[in-house]
């Protein structure tokens, strides 16, 4: 990635910080934008305070850039909110942050990326392809993001490649809020086939791959980065003798 300019939205902490670090280590000139600055700035990485929910401000910031090769739409997230216990307005804000702001940033970056024959990496989630109780609006937004990326990849080809990283559970500084303390995090990690939660650097390395020339013929794709997915619950609930050589057929 040496000599290329990369924007990572929300690149100040958690998964975003891991993505920022991976691109910086790959030699890219990395720009990050978010509402709050990073607690631990990385050398050579430029931060700009920016509310991605403000389209005029987003357009002005991208217009002022001298050039751009890669946009990573990482900004997003959600608190735990049951559908019936929260107002529609709050759910709509979650959808705005996780679906509308990536569209806003992509449109603002389009001319730069078209000229550079660059690429966009959307940071999606497994929540977009399975039920997400407690984060339903987030899951709906991530499902929409995958659809947006697939359509964008067709409309903007061949000048701009667009792909989605479908991210599973990641261990960050906020993991305890979702999974509990160290014991809870370890217990959740054991449910993943690879035996642990992802690290932010796992996601960062995958993002660098999709943005690099090694992925030059990959566009409109969704790359699963979830450690093997989730073990089907029925396997643990079934009472059949797992040692029996004749257990019938599954349909």
């Amino acid at each position: 990635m040496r000599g290329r300019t990369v924007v990572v939205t929300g690149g100040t902490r958690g998964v975003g910080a891991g993505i920022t670090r991976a691109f910086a280590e790959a030699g890219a000139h990395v720009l990050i934008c978010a509402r709050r600055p990073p607690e631990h700035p990385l050398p050579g990485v430029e931060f700009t305070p920016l509310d991605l929910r403000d389209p005029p401000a987003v357009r002005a910031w991208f217009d002022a850039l001298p050039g751009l090769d890669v946009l990573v739409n990482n900004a997003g997230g959600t608190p735990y909110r049951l559908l019936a216990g929260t107002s529609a307005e709050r759910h709509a804000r979650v959808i705005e942050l996780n679906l509308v702001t990536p569209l806003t940033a992509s449109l603002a970056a389009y001319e730069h990326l078209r000229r550079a024959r660059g690429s966009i990496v959307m940071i999606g989630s497994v929540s977009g392809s399975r039920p997400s109780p407690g984060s339903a609006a987030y899951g709906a937004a991530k499902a929409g993001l995958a659809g947006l990326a697939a359509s964008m990849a067709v409309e903007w080809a061949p000048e701009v490649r667009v792909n989605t990283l479908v991210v599973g559970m990641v261990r960050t500084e906020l993991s305890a809020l979702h999974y509990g303390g160290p014991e809870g995090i370890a217990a959740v990690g054991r449910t993943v086939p690879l035996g642990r939660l992802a690290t932010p650097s796992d996601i960062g390395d995958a993002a660098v791959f999709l943005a690099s020339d090694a992925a030059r013929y990959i566009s409109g794709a969704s790359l699963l980065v979830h450690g093997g997915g989730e073990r089907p619950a029925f396997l643990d609930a079934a009472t059949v003798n797992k040692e029996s050589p004749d257990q019938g057929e599954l349909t």
Side-chain angles (χ1 to χ4, degrees):
M1 301 302 296
R2 203 165 299 279
R4 299 185 184 181
T5 299
V6 178
V7 165
V8 181
T9 68
T12 59
R13 63 180 184 176
V15 170
I19 294 170
T20 297
R21 185 174 296 105
F23 275 101
E25 291 175 350
H29 174 214
V30 185
L31 312 174
I32 57 176
C33 55
R35 286 182 294 168
R36 292 181 292 275
E39 292 184 8
H40 306 288
L42 290 174
V45 174
E46 298 181 26
F47 167 74
T48 299
L50 182 65
D51 187 345
L52 290 157
R53 297 168 299 181
D54 183 348
V58 173
R59 286 192 292 268
W61 185 69
F62 276 96
D63 286 347
L65 297 180
L68 181 63
D69 298 284
V70 178
L71 169 63
V72 182
N73 281 309
N74 165 78
T78 184
Y80 181 84
R81 287 175 176 167
L82 293 173
L83 280 172
T86 308
S87 68
E89 290 83 358
R90 287 197 172 190
H91 290 307
R93 284 198 287 271
V94 171
I95 294 172
E96 178 187 24
L97 176 61
N98 291 280
L99 177 57
V100 178
T101 63
L103 174 59
T104 300
S106 297
L107 289 170
Y110 171 69
E111 286 299 330
H112 285 307
L113 296 172
R114 183 184 63 80
R115 287 192 292 269
R117 297 187 75 87
S119 72
I120 295 173
V121 179
M122 302 289 197
I123 304 302
S125 170
V126 294
S127 294
S129 58
R130 59 154 170 77
S132 297
S135 57
Y138 174 80
K142 291 300 188 180
L145 185 66
L148 173 65
S151 296
M152 194 178 287
V154 175
E155 285 197 22
W156 291 0
E159 290 84 5
V160 182
R161 293 188 301 109
V162 186
N163 292 290
T164 302
L165 281 183
V166 183
V167 177
M169 296 180 288
V170 185
R171 182 166 187 169
T172 70
E173 61 268 33
L174 300 179
S175 292
L177 298 178
H178 295 276
Y179 312 125
E183 290 185 2
I185 292 172
V188 172
R190 288 192 292 271
T191 70
V192 179
L194 288 188
R196 64 174 176 86
L197 303 186
T199 65
S201 64
D202 292 326
I203 311 306
D205 290 344
V208 170
F209 163 69
L210 281 181
S212 74
D213 290 340
R216 60 188 174 273
Y217 198 65
I218 300 176
S219 191
S222 293
L223 177 61
L224 295 169
V225 188
H226 58 10
E230 300 178 10
R231 178 178 169 84
F234 79 85
L235 292 176
D236 296 319
T239 58
V240 66
N241 180 1
K242 294 179 174 57
E243 300 300 322
S244 172
D246 183 12
Q247 297 180 23
E249 296 182 357
L250 296 178
T251 58

